[in-house]
Amino acid sequence: AELAAPMHKLAGIRVNPATNGRHGQHGGTSPRLVRVEDGAETPLDLPADAEVLAVAWTVDGQRFALTVGHADHIGLWVGSVDGHVARIEDMALNPLMGTAVSWLPDQERLAAPEPPAIPAGPEIVEGAGASARSTYEARNLLVTAYDDALFEYHMTSELAIVEPATGRVKVVGAPAPYYSAEFSPDGEYLLVEYLVGPWSHEVAWWRFASEIEVWNDQGELVANIASLPVADNVPTHGVPLGPRSISWRPTAPHTLFWVEALDGGNPVAEVPHRDRLMRLGAPFAGEPQEVFRAEHRIQGSAWGADGGTLMLQQRERIRRWRYVWLLDVDEGTSRLWFDLDEGDRYGNPGYPLFRPLPNGHWVLRQKGDAVYFRGSGATDQGDRPFLDLRDLVTGETERLFRCDPDRYETFVAFAGEDDRFVLSSESPVDVPNYYLATFGREIEAAEGEATRTLTRVPITRFEDPTPQLREIEKRLVRYEREDGVPLSFHLHLPPGYEEGTPLPTVLYAYPLEYSGVTTAGQVRGSTQRFMRIWGASHLYFLLRGYAVLDQTAMPMLGDPETTYDTFVPQLVADAEAAVAKAIEMGVTDPERIGIIGHSHGGLMVANLLAHTDLFRAGIARSGSYNKTTQPFGFQSERRSLFEARDVYIQVSPTFFADQVNEPVLVIHGDDDSNPGTLTFQSEVFFEAVRGSGGTARLVLLPFEDHGYRARESVEHVLWEQLRWFDKYVKGNGTATSTSSDLE
């Protein structure tokens, strides 16, 4: 019923007109505060039907603002740690294009930002020598003049300053389609970004024309920073021209920094530098100053707590390589801090932690000259999350915490001082719970292990909601492809499994692209996680007596420019290796194997059914089966159809549907907005298989997008999948699962 309710597709956003929020958005109910010292809970007195969509804390952690979803609007509530909450009356927030609520630098005030009759007119799209652009921009686009009117109506909002103590509201500026508003660290200026028409029918809202301005705290224009035209000719994998990622420097009163492309936004242009970093300070009347030129595309930055330190990340697209630089924007110096293969999970240093300054702006969380980093800690035995201190000067790393091999524990957040933090801890048999962890003395440790002792005090005591799942056994299995590429999968065995018994088996995978053998073979995930099956419908087969190969490695190796030249043969080699290993272990019956994949995994399923006889049946969900309908690139493939016609055809199983001689269940949301996997992809593939004499079933889920959300849809997908493999994989020739079976 929720998915079937009125919804507008407006320039990349699905809008719920009843609340002026995002369609299908949900938050938490029955909210409560939990004190980490002793786990004491304080319920918050909100209406029973209210959902907390977002929380914004003051820097001192004593007060918070809640973005709350109601039946007919999204409201603003404010509260304090004593549990008191109050509603700001006559306030409806607009969260469609950005953060709806933020605290001003003084931490005392909050900033918060009948459709017309249907006009007549045809749908018109025109091209006049435009260059190729990414297909992924074509998502829920505006189509008619009526869409234009709806877009402007729903996106228009006001900027308001709210005093929580009194409820006083002061509107600044005129109504407009604002998508960003941020006060300078000293609270004197306001950086405002808003869209301007006419509205494009070719790109989503984030590529619309916009104005970037600086106002004073009264909402009066101080300076225009940029007037950006509609970005409807951005090259594939490229960036728009003009300022992007514009923001205040947190450690200066009122200075703006942003990035600009030097290569026309074209990633294949041969230039010595791709981007540059720019600076402009108050009164914003002069010319901006160039601070730094980057050889590769700038894709992120973070400010240090002191001085002019700026951590800047660059990405080299061809090598899939990342470089992290340290700049001193005051001294004009720069140096490479560290670099890494972006696919190298074992060598990944993680990502930095942040803390808010008293003005509410965020900077790197440091201890002296070192920055805190957290990461997943991938190893050949599975993930072992960690917390590190990385020195800004020497680059040396001190490992403060590392998960033990027989559990799965992660750093969540510091609890006040640097010696205490919230820890999440779980194991295959222990439900995840939170602990207040305190660092102790330094100890000698092997390389890569924690150098500090740790004490834990429970915060929560959640109980196991599904104890029957503890009987499921999980193993990490490593093996090699025929050409020596190391691979792995997570083997799940059903409750009551007897060693050496070959079972009907389900293989679930998603192809990923890598530059080299070393990173392609790295293990993903951990067998020490608490077993859940929600959100992973293929794991339900465990309760029907199947073995499941999960997170099965399906790497595609090669130069990013030509990886898809060998997509099908590599896919076949990956699948053959996984199946051979499972049979060798004695857990899999070679005559009873099924394969499942979603999205790019759906393409994988269809190709393996067309080009191998490894599987008895397949289930392909929300896939793309004819890449010629995406003539200007897909996944990492940036060559056009006209440059690599044979490649586009070879990876498209619709062209080989007559070779699909195993039963295939095709499932798709009938309102898929992902440009690469529009619903017709499944409809045409199904017709191609059926028309060639194959066994196929097409299931279109009403109102569903690329993923499936409605309770009815999720349960029906489970029924379809279990029924399909019971009939065609278990080999009894009849569908055995019924409604009562699933219940």
Side-chain angles (χ1 to χ4, degrees):
E2 177 185 316
L3 291 182
M7 177 264 290
H8 301 312
K9 302 175 186 179
L10 302 176
I13 304 176
R14 294 189 168 201
V15 177
N16 177 354
T19 63
N20 211 80
R22 288 184 177 265
H23 182 69
Q25 182 182 24
H26 282 284
T29 56
S30 303
R32 64 200 61 209
L33 299 173
V34 181
R35 192 165 57 202
V36 297
E37 285 80 3
D38 56 12
E41 297 186 2
T42 304
L44 300 182
D45 186 18
L46 293 178
D49 63 343
E51 296 186 4
V52 177
L53 304 177
V55 182
W57 287 87
T58 53
V59 172
D60 62 10
Q62 297 302 303
R63 292 173 298 159
F64 52 85
L66 302 177
T67 302
V68 178
H70 300 277
D72 59 354
H73 75 290
I74 296 175
L76 174 62
W77 292 64
V78 293
S80 58
V81 292
D82 62 8
H84 174 73
V85 289
R87 179 177 181 172
I88 302 297
E89 299 296 333
D90 302 320
M91 174 68 67
L93 300 177
N94 188 341
L96 290 173
M97 294 191 296
T99 302
V101 176
S102 61
W103 291 92
L104 269 70
D106 60 14
Q107 304 296 291
E108 296 295 333
R109 296 169 295 166
L110 289 164
E114 296 268 335
I118 300 176
E123 176 183 347
I124 300 173
V125 179
E126 182 177 358
S131 62
R133 64 170 181 269
S134 170
T135 326
Y136 292 96
E137 291 303 314
R139 189 186 299 264
N140 296 317
L141 300 185
L142 302 177
V143 176
T144 67
Y146 176 53
D147 290 345
D148 295 353
L150 285 174
F151 176 81
E152 188 159 351
Y153 172 79
H154 285 289
M155 303 304 151
T156 297
S157 59
E158 292 179 317
L159 298 179
I161 297 175
V162 180
E163 295 180 1
T166 64
R168 179 175 175 268
V169 178
K170 175 185 176 183
V171 175
V172 293
Y178 298 105
Y179 63 90
S180 178
E182 182 185 24
F183 270 94
S184 58
D186 62 359
E188 185 173 342
Y189 297 102
L190 181 62
L191 175 65
V192 176
E193 300 176 72
Y194 60 92
L195 304 177
V196 293
W199 312 123
S200 172
H201 290 191
E202 297 186 38
V203 292
W205 72 267
W206 52 86
R207 292 282 173 88
F208 282 5
S210 63
E211 295 290 337
I212 304 175
E213 298 174 346
V214 172
W215 299 355
N216 62 23
D217 59 0
Q218 301 301 309
E220 300 167 334
L221 178 66
V222 173
N224 177 273
I225 304 301
S227 296
L228 302 178
V230 61
D232 54 2
N233 285 311
V234 177
T236 303
H237 298 169
V239 297
L241 297 178
R244 67 180 198 273
S245 303
I246 186 168
S247 62
W248 297 107
R249 173 180 168 179
T251 54
H254 33 243
T255 303
L256 292 171
F257 281 77
W258 66 81
V259 177
E260 294 179 356
L262 293 171
D263 60 357
N266 188 349
V268 298
E270 296 184 3
V271 294
H273 299 93
R274 297 218 172 271
D275 278 341
R276 63 177 180 175
L277 180 68
M278 305 296 291
R279 162 173 58 197
L280 182 64
F284 314 103
E287 290 296 317
Q289 176 188 6
E290 182 178 301
V291 179
F292 177 72
R293 288 200 167 203
E295 181 181 357
H296 307 291
R297 188 72 71 212
I298 295 175
Q299 289 194 335
S301 62
W303 289 93
D306 303 306
T309 300
L310 177 65
M311 186 183 78
L312 200 68
Q313 179 175 275
Q314 302 179 43
R315 180 179 188 259
E316 184 180 0
R317 186 183 64 88
I318 292 296
R319 293 181 63 208
R320 298 190 180 103
W321 209 268
R322 295 190 182 273
Y323 305 85
V324 179
W325 285 70
L326 290 177
L327 281 58
D328 188 323
V329 299
D330 294 333
E331 299 296 329
T333 60
S334 61
R335 60 186 174 88
L336 180 65
W337 193 18
F338 61 88
D339 63 311
L340 69 150
D341 182 336
E342 65 181 21
D344 181 8
R345 301 189 77 247
Y346 294 175
N348 193 319
Y351 52 91
L353 300 182
F354 297 86
R355 68 173 178 88
L357 295 174
N359 59 29
H361 290 255
W362 290 76
V363 295
L364 294 169
R365 183 159 191 143
Q366 295 177 221
K367 184 176 182 179
D369 287 331
V371 177
Y372 287 99
F373 274 70
R374 61 173 295 186
S376 61
T379 75
D380 59 2
Q381 300 298 315
D383 290 354
R384 296 181 59 197
F386 62 82
L387 176 68
D388 284 351
L389 266 175
R390 179 176 288 266
D391 194 282
L392 287 166
V393 179
T394 65
E396 294 181 356
T397 298
E398 178 185 2
R399 179 138 296 173
L400 303 175
F401 160 77
R402 190 182 191 189
C403 169
D404 291 334
D406 59 349
R407 295 190 68 81
Y408 185 82
E409 297 183 322
T410 60
F411 169 92
V412 177
F414 280 107
E417 302 302 321
D418 288 2
D419 63 339
R420 299 192 308 168
F421 65 93
V422 178
L423 177 76
S424 174
S425 181
E426 63 188 272
S427 78
V429 296
D430 297 323
V431 65
N433 268 291
Y434 292 107
Y435 295 80
L436 180 59
T438 303
F439 286 122
R441 59 185 177 83
E442 294 187 8
I443 57 174
E444 291 187 9
E447 184 178 358
E449 298 298 331
T451 59
R452 301 285 292 274
T453 61
L454 204 66
T455 59
R456 298 169 171 82
V457 177
I459 298 174
T460 60
R461 292 174 173 83
F462 301 129
E463 297 181 354
D464 189 348
T466 52
Q468 60 271 35
L469 298 185
R470 290 332 112 219
E471 298 179 36
I472 293 172
E473 181 183 352
K474 295 187 288 185
R475 303 177 188 173
L476 174 62
V477 179
R478 294 190 297 274
Y479 53 100
E480 288 188 356
R481 203 164 74 176
E482 186 180 22
D483 57 3
V485 175
L487 304 173
S488 65
F489 57 67
H490 288 239
L491 171 64
H492 299 262
L493 296 170
Y497 174 70
E498 295 183 9
E499 195 68 35
T501 305
L503 299 175
T505 299
V506 173
L507 187 154
Y508 184 85
Y510 187 95
L512 294 172
E513 299 143 21
Y514 299 90
S515 297
V517 172
T518 303
T519 55
Q522 292 182 348
V523 172
R524 306 178 69 85
S526 170
T527 57
Q528 303 304 319
R529 301 298 302 267
F530 183 73
M531 182 66 183
R532 291 184 174 97
I533 58 176
W534 59 269
S537 63
H538 56 285
L539 294 181
Y540 280 85
F541 283 98
L542 290 163
L543 305 181
R544 306 282 293 188
Y546 292 74
V548 175
L549 312 186
D550 193 23
Q551 299 188 53
T552 308
M554 291 280 175
M556 301 296 128
L557 278 67
D559 187 320
E561 298 294 297
T562 57
T563 299
Y564 280 89
D565 289 0
T566 58
F567 177 74
V568 172
Q570 288 200 67
L571 202 61
V572 171
D574 292 334
E576 288 176 341
V579 168
K581 183 62 177 179
I583 294 172
E584 174 194 317
M585 295 176 65
V587 300
T588 293
D589 181 344
E591 299 300 320
R592 296 190 297 170
I593 309 174
I595 184 168
I596 302 179
H598 187 94
S599 191
H600 203 44
L603 173 74
M604 169 198 72
V605 169
N607 268 309
L608 288 174
L609 295 182
H611 299 289
T612 77
D613 292 314
L614 295 169
F615 306 100
R616 282 284 296 274
I619 300 173
R621 302 196 315 244
S622 297
S624 171
Y625 311 107
N626 183 356
K627 292 303 183 183
T628 67
T629 63
Q630 298 169 256
F632 297 107
F634 57 88
Q635 299 297 111
S636 70
E637 178 60 69
R638 70 163 307 279
R639 294 172 296 180
S640 73
L641 167 64
F642 318 108
E643 297 170 301
R645 185 177 287 106
D646 290 343
V647 173
Y648 275 69
I649 292 174
Q650 288 299 318
V651 302
S652 301
T654 297
F655 289 93
F656 305 93
D658 59 332
Q659 298 174 196
V660 178
N661 52 13
E662 299 88 6
V664 57
L665 172 62
V666 183
I667 303 176
H668 216 121
D670 78 350
D671 197 14
D672 193 336
S673 63
N674 184 358
T677 59
L678 297 176
T679 306
F680 78 84
Q681 290 272 1
S682 284
E683 294 174 305
V684 174
F685 177 65
F686 164 74
E687 289 293 349
V689 174
R690 182 175 67 167
S692 301
T695 300
R697 179 178 173 91
L698 176 65
V699 178
L700 299 181
L701 304 169
F703 307 110
E704 294 289 0
D705 201 337
H706 191 57
Y708 318 140
R709 297 203 316 269
R711 176 185 300 170
E712 296 90 339
S713 299
V714 172
E715 292 180 348
H716 189 82
V717 167
L718 288 174
W719 182 82
E720 290 281 358
Q721 292 187 161
L722 294 173
R723 177 180 177 273
W724 194 256
F725 277 2
D726 278 356
K727 180 177 181 179
Y728 292 112
V729 173
K730 278 190 172 179
N732 55 20
T734 60
T736 60
S737 53
T738 66
S739 297
S740 60
D741 288 333
L742 298 185
E743 291 169 358

